Amino acid sequence: MEAMLRGVGVSHGVAIGPVRHMGTAVLEPPATQIPSDEAPHEQARAQAAVDAVAADLIARGNLAGGEAQAVLEAQALMAQDPELMADVSRRITVGSSAERGIYDAFAAYRALLAAAGDYLAGRVADLDDVRNRIVARLLGVPMPGVPDSDEPYVLFAHDLAPADTALLDPTLVLGFVTEEGGPTSHSAILARALGVPAVVALPGATEVAEGTVVAVDGSSGEVLVDPAQEKQEELRQKAAERRAALAASSGPGRTSDGHRVPLLANIGGPADLPAALAAGAEGVGLFRTEFLFLDDSAQAPSEEKQYEAYRKVLEAFPESRVVVRVLDAGADKPLDFLTPADEPNPALGVRGLRTLLEHPEVLSGQLRALAKAAEGLPVHLEVMAPMVADRQDARAFAEACREAGLQAKFGAMVEIPSAALRARSILQEVEFVSLGTNDLAQYTFAADRQVGALARLQDPWQPALLDLIAVSAEAAQALGKSCGVCGEAASDPLLACVLAGLGVTSLSMGTASIPYVRTALAKYTLAQCRRAAAAARAADNAADARAAAHQVLSGE
Ligand code: PEP
Ligand code: MG
């Protein structure tokens, strides 16, 4: 029976396909005693689950090939380790169920690995993954993590963290729907990077049955459950028409009277380059380098590995602007080797630049790799720091860049209200600022960006956020410096016009949004954008600000 659910649309487009749920973390199996005459049956169940998981890992390795194959084969070997299996069997003999026996035997093995020094300790995550797969199979619950599917699907999840999604096959994901997460959550960012529709903060998302066909409208936030065939056809038709209209948009970002607002791409690594180039990005406005660090959260990637990734990005945009953000670890992007495990409030703790100033070797390694990657290229490299709070932070970052011999412009992200209010003083130390409106909203409204119930406060149309953007843009303008926006605010076509009107000098966004923003900007003059900005700032809440800007622009 057709039903309609409504959340917050955060990435444009329509996706129609079957639901696949992101597997949740495996629960600890109950420690109930089983009668001794059931032990042989439990041992057989354990062995069958181990064999099935090992076979599945090998089959997936064969499909993936390369480095991934080696990793998956090593995991299959771990699963079948004879000593580990002997321990499972022993535990079942003394009363454990198959799942509990696996769980406890792996825990003992895990402790040994963790204590055995760097290399083996780094394998703990692989071991946990194998255990989770076996236990999930025995409990009959979905596999943890990314669904195993050969067919395209709409991914449903409670929420998505960057580490969860690193293994997603983008060719299979038609769209995202999450129960939690606001417009600035990583689910939203990732959806825009992949160019797939997404709806977040949808109550009841995790209860929609696996395999149900849904139609997701990433603009309106509507999710139709089990839509009739005719409705599916109608939605497909509309989506195709819209895509065709957008594909016709090209060229640099400018208002109808020629005021230039370069449209740049937000990327997480070289894999995002083809889409950025295809969308006509004029450069990169935010390279989130932490994605290079997520593969292995136990150590920093080598300078060589970083160099290779940076070089590919810089080569893809010769003679264009490429803004690289140094590592933003902590809070929602923790890294084992950097992020303190015991912070009472990680979003307000040691994250971003604070982490790098405590680990200067990580920062200098990154800056050296970047300097080397830019050698001999005509690219306009810019490097910026996340979570700059004040002038002292900006100075420390600029000094680290100079010490590394980096030939680039140095900049600061404005993500903390203090940095917006004192942008003028921060710009004494650096050459540009870039507004990270996702964190700026989080810290202005004291509203965790991961919490769907607070989506209202993370709305980038909030007039208080617009005021902070205006203050930053005015400070930059007074000093003849640039002030871009690289948070998700830039990807909303109407808001992009308002940002231009506030004096923002470039807009950087997930590449799928570039055609939408380009088309919107080209409709209005700079004077119209300024009037829309003034009307939005005069409103009392986000909905009224949006309506006021819309009225100004559509009425003129
Ligand atoms: C931001 O906070 O707006 C931003 C661009 O950084 P991230 O989303 O990666 O925290
Ligand atoms: Mg941020």
Side-chain angles (χ1 to χ4, degrees):
M1 244 271 288
E2 188 171 305
M4 210 240 282
L5 303 173
R6 190 185 289 276
V8 179
V10 292
S11 179
H12 311 285
V14 171
I16 301 175
V19 171
R20 290 272 174 278
H21 285 279
M22 185 87 178
T24 43
V26 170
L27 299 175
E28 186 175 333
T32 37
Q33 278 290 112
I34 56 152
S36 58
D37 58 348
E38 284 181 24
H41 173 65
E42 290 301 293
Q43 276 158 345
R45 279 182 70 229
Q47 190 62 55
V50 166
D51 291 347
V53 165
D56 176 56
L57 290 168
I58 289 182
R60 295 207 297 140
N62 288 339
L63 273 182
E67 210 176 315
Q69 181 167 18
V71 172
L72 290 165
E73 281 174 359
Q75 278 192 304
L77 277 179
M78 269 182 189
Q80 291 176 309
D81 183 291
E83 281 187 36
L84 190 57
M85 280 317 290
D87 190 21
V88 173
S89 184
R90 192 186 55 72
R91 288 171 192 271
I92 293 177
T93 316
V94 295
S96 289
S97 62
E99 40 274 46
R100 187 71 209 191
I102 293 277
Y103 190 85
D104 289 338
F106 271 70
Y109 193 34
R110 183 188 205 282
L112 280 181
L113 277 192
D118 281 355
Y119 176 75
L120 288 178
R123 307 276 68 80
V124 160
D126 294 351
L127 186 74
D128 287 347
D129 183 56
V130 172
R131 179 206 61 191
N132 291 347
R133 286 173 176 280
I134 301 171
V135 172
R137 181 170 279 272
L138 285 163
L139 291 173
V141 298
M143 289 295 165
V146 173
D148 296 337
S149 174
D150 301 331
E151 302 209 313
Y153 57 87
V154 179
L155 183 65
F156 272 55
H158 184 69
D159 199 4
L160 295 170
D164 295 331
T165 50
L167 292 173
L168 272 184
D169 177 348
T171 60
L172 291 179
V173 182
L174 300 168
F176 292 158
V177 176
T178 62
E179 181 133 5
E180 282 293 337
T184 62
S185 62
H186 283 281
S187 311
I189 293 170
L190 187 81
R192 291 191 193 114
L194 293 177
V196 297
V199 171
V200 300
L202 184 98
T206 45
E207 281 146 40
V208 179
E210 184 92 357
T212 315
V213 172
V214 289
V216 179
D217 183 334
S219 304
S220 67
E222 288 172 5
V223 176
L224 276 180
V225 181
D226 228 350
Q229 279 301 334
E230 310 83 79
K231 184 72 190 171
Q232 293 189 28
E233 268 323 303
E234 184 194 317
L235 289 170
R236 281 204 182 93
Q237 177 77 23
K238 266 202 199 142
E241 283 165 14
R242 184 148 176 77
R243 269 200 307 276
L246 288 168
S249 100
S250 63
R254 53 163 55 105
T255 58
S256 63
D257 56 338
H259 173 69
R260 289 275 289 115
V261 186
L263 303 179
L264 310 169
N266 286 359
I267 64 168
D272 296 333
L273 290 170
L277 291 165
E282 297 172 60
V284 171
L286 170 62
F287 177 1
R288 289 186 164 97
T289 57
E290 52 277 4
F291 285 84
L292 304 175
F293 288 64
L294 287 177
D295 276 2
D296 178 0
S297 82
Q299 59 193 347
S302 67
E303 279 181 44
E304 188 57 28
K305 185 172 168 204
Q306 293 188 51
Y307 160 82
E308 278 165 22
Y310 302 150
R311 182 83 184 180
K312 281 189 196 137
V313 173
L314 297 178
E315 280 174 348
F317 281 98
E319 302 186 37
S320 304
R321 226 173 122 195
V322 174
V323 186
V324 179
R325 171 174 78 189
V326 292
L327 180 64
D328 183 19
D332 51 344
K333 291 170 279 195
L335 289 176
D336 291 350
F337 75 105
L338 291 178
T339 311
D342 53 354
E343 289 187 320
N345 195 340
L348 301 182
V350 180
R351 61 162 295 198
L353 179 66
R354 301 165 185 181
T355 305
L356 292 173
L357 295 178
E358 284 200 1
H359 296 267
E361 70 295 349
V362 176
L363 178 57
S364 59
Q366 232 192 331
L367 296 174
R368 274 195 306 274
L370 268 171
K372 194 166 155 221
E375 263 169 31
L377 294 178
V379 69
H380 300 287
L381 175 62
E382 304 188 7
V383 182
M384 64 183 181
M387 299 292 294
V388 171
D390 59 7
R391 183 170 177 173
Q392 184 180 324
D393 274 353
R395 183 183 308 137
F397 178 63
E399 271 167 12
C401 291
R402 279 191 287 272
E403 269 167 31
L406 198 59
Q407 300 295 316
K409 280 190 177 175
F410 316 139
M413 286 188 76
V414 172
E415 303 186 277
I416 307 177
S418 61
L421 294 169
R422 305 304 303 251
R424 201 181 257 265
S425 114
I426 283 173
L427 279 164
Q428 305 303 313
E429 304 292 341
V430 291
E431 287 162 274
F432 67 96
V433 286
S434 181
L435 285 144
T437 48
N438 308 336
D439 277 313
L440 190 55
Q442 159 163 270
Y443 295 120
T444 301
F445 295 97
D448 189 327
R449 58 194 276 193
Q450 304 291 101
V451 176
L454 301 178
R456 177 182 81 79
L457 295 171
Q458 294 135 4
D459 189 326
W461 281 94
Q462 283 281 0
L465 186 69
L466 300 180
D467 285 350
L468 289 172
I469 295 171
V471 168
S472 311
E474 280 158 18
Q477 199 172 23
L479 297 167
K481 297 189 171 181
S482 63
C483 170
V485 168
C486 65
E488 298 307 300
S491 63
D492 173 334
L494 189 62
L495 184 51
C497 299
V498 165
L499 295 175
L502 291 174
V504 161
T505 54
S506 63
L507 298 167
S508 191
M509 66 204 83
T511 50
S513 301
I514 290 178
Y516 292 87
V517 170
R518 182 192 287 124
T519 307
L521 263 185
K523 284 194 209 156
Y524 309 110
T525 61
L526 179 59
Q528 284 176 307
C529 294
R530 287 189 176 137
R531 281 196 287 279
R537 282 183 74 189
D540 278 327
N541 59 51
D544 289 354
R546 187 187 289 111
H550 182 71
Q551 197 184 4
V552 168
L553 293 178
S554 62
E556 289 191 7

